[in-house]
Amino acid sequence: MESSRIALPIGTALDRFIKNNQEQFQYASGELSQLLRDIALASKVVNREVNKAGLIDIMGAMGTQNTAGDQQQKLDVLANIRFTRALTKGGEACAVISEESETYVDLNNDGKYVIAIDPLDGSSNIDVNVSIGTIFSIYRRKSPIGKSISEADILQKGEEQVAAGYILYGSSTMLVFTTGFGVNGFTYEPSLGEYVLSHPHMEMPKDGKIYSINEGSANSFSDPVKKYIQYCKDNNYTARYIGSLVADFHRNLLKGGIYIYPATAKDPKGKLRLMYECNALAFIAEQAGGRGTDGKGRILEIQPTALHQRTPFYVGSESMVTKAESF
Ligand code: P6P
């Protein structure tokens, strides 16, 4: 459904963008847009902590406390607290599935949405000042409002997502999300404390020459994966692997490319998590004209059976993922 929305100019603030596109937000009674605002707000707090991370170490080394004076927490724990607190206060979410919590967190029986989130993926990269990210999926609950949460609310297929996005804490901090009507990118302007539209209607190039995979595990790759990697080399593709999923995905979204985390000896089902990593990025990839598969079928069609289940992940430019599957 192409809504009769006007193309908003670069620089439009996130709030204005959400208001102008209200009709895109399914069940447009304002909760979903409020949910996105809650997530954006929490990301601004996490962004501030991430940017201070190195500094806190230095301050710690100098014997000074960080501003809050509290014991420096691992940033992914801190990020999980921030996002869960924002979602709790916002009141729109009935449950949160988080990489940081073994079971789902029951928030508010009157909430209409379930959030799956990786609060800070790749946080080990902070110590070496490499970009990291937050990944989130938003589902509508299946059970009646006011009732307690059921498994049907929690284990939904990726194609049930009503929105998904990521925040990339990089040389600049960006929020990229979709509500099922294309993908839009917003850049954080710290002096304003605002996300502003910088990448309207993002489209992933249909083809590309960048492949992202950890070739350190190559000995345990399946033959088809080995053959595809060889195909990339024979065609002089560029290898780019940052080791931070959101950063690798974002580059491929802008320039074209494929990211692969296949089954390996160490991770026979793949390393990445279906619920709060692969579903969100596969939804964004498809909305931007790319593809996301587990090597055989669409990620979004996988019926989850466990909160933290892993899956092999092939995501990126349409013809590159199709080519990889053909091996
Ligand atoms: P490996 C980070 O731990 C992460 O979850 C992703 O961000 C990243 O792409 C991948 O794992 C890196 O894993 O096994 O290549 O170090």
Side-chain angles (χ1 to χ4, degrees):
M1 176 189 86
E2 267 307 303
S3 53
S4 58
R5 68 189 186 289
I6 45 166
L8 290 168
I10 300 265
T12 303
L14 175 63
D15 255 8
R16 166 59 49 208
F17 179 90
I18 290 175
K19 267 194 201 76
N20 279 50
N21 290 282
Q22 190 63 50
E23 81 284 354
Q24 283 182 26
F25 290 65
Q26 296 179 45
Y27 325 101
S29 49
E31 295 108 340
L32 181 55
S33 37
Q34 186 50 49
L35 204 42
L36 277 168
R37 286 191 193 93
D38 295 340
I39 290 170
L41 175 64
S43 75
K44 294 175 186 175
V45 177
V46 171
N47 177 61
R48 187 185 60 204
E49 303 298 333
V50 165
N51 289 348
K52 277 188 323 193
L55 201 53
I56 291 177
D57 284 345
I58 294 166
M59 286 155 64
M62 287 156 38
T64 53
Q65 286 292 342
N66 64 17
T67 44
D70 53 15
Q71 177 63 29
Q72 187 200 340
Q73 291 169 314
K74 268 171 63 67
L75 270 177
D76 38 14
V77 172
L78 183 144
N80 189 50
I81 292 167
R82 295 291 182 183
F83 280 106
T84 307
R85 190 181 296 168
L87 291 169
T88 306
K89 279 192 340 204
E92 309 298 350
C94 57
V96 173
I97 301 159
S98 169
E99 181 181 48
E100 298 293 330
S101 314
E102 194 46 45
T103 61
Y104 68 83
V105 180
D106 203 330
L107 288 188
N108 161 15
N109 278 351
D110 295 332
K112 294 181 180 166
Y113 296 95
V114 174
I115 318 298
I117 188 165
D118 188 350
L120 211 54
D121 173 70
S123 53
S124 55
N125 290 303
I126 292 178
D127 307 339
V128 293
N129 211 5
V130 163
S131 303
I132 51 176
T134 296
I135 309 170
F136 64 89
S137 284
I138 302 178
Y139 297 85
R140 185 138 173 107
R141 72 183 293 171
K142 296 289 187 192
S143 57
I145 310 266
K147 293 279 183 284
S148 54
I149 308 301
S150 67
E151 189 173 272
D153 293 320
I154 299 297
L155 298 177
Q156 300 189 46
K157 286 183 182 180
E159 60 192 5
E160 298 290 321
Q161 291 173 90
V162 292
Y166 59 82
I167 294 102
L168 176 59
Y169 308 96
S171 46
S172 65
T173 292
M174 279 193 69
L175 164 64
V176 175
F177 72 86
T178 180
T179 58
F181 296 86
V183 179
N184 290 284
F186 298 79
T187 298
Y188 185 55
E189 174 42 72
S191 63
L192 301 176
E194 281 281 0
Y195 279 106
V196 294
L197 183 65
S198 53
H199 297 68
H201 200 52
M202 298 177 84
E203 292 184 327
M204 191 181 266
K206 290 295 181 191
D207 200 356
K209 292 194 172 304
I210 294 173
Y211 69 101
S212 310
I213 187 167
N214 184 342
E215 293 197 60
S217 314
N219 291 343
S220 67
F221 290 164
S222 67
D223 283 344
V225 174
K226 287 177 179 169
K227 287 196 180 95
Y228 178 67
I229 302 305
Q230 191 54 49
Y231 168 86
C232 293
K233 292 176 174 166
D234 296 346
N235 285 274
N236 303 313
Y237 285 9
T238 296
R240 282 285 181 279
Y241 193 71
I242 301 172
S244 186
L245 173 59
V246 173
D248 278 314
F249 178 88
H250 185 73
R251 184 205 49 248
N252 292 345
L253 173 58
L254 292 173
K255 295 180 175 253
I258 185 170
Y259 173 97
I260 302 177
Y261 207 108
T264 63
K266 181 168 172 287
D267 291 303
K269 290 194 178 343
K271 173 182 182 185
L272 300 180
R273 311 286 186 166
L274 175 64
M275 290 306 291
Y276 40 79
E277 289 172 335
C278 302
N279 271 338
L281 298 183
F283 185 26
I284 292 169
E286 290 193 0
Q287 283 288 312
R291 293 190 63 209
T293 80
D294 63 356
K296 294 184 181 63
R298 287 175 72 220
I299 288 286
L300 300 186
E301 288 173 14
I302 297 174
Q303 174 55 56
T305 52
L307 281 193
H308 301 284
Q309 75 185 64
R310 301 173 191 269
T311 174
F313 194 36
Y314 300 68
V315 66
S317 296
E318 184 184 40
S319 60
M320 297 185 81
V321 175
T322 303
K323 186 73 184 171
E325 275 187 326
S326 72
F327 280 79

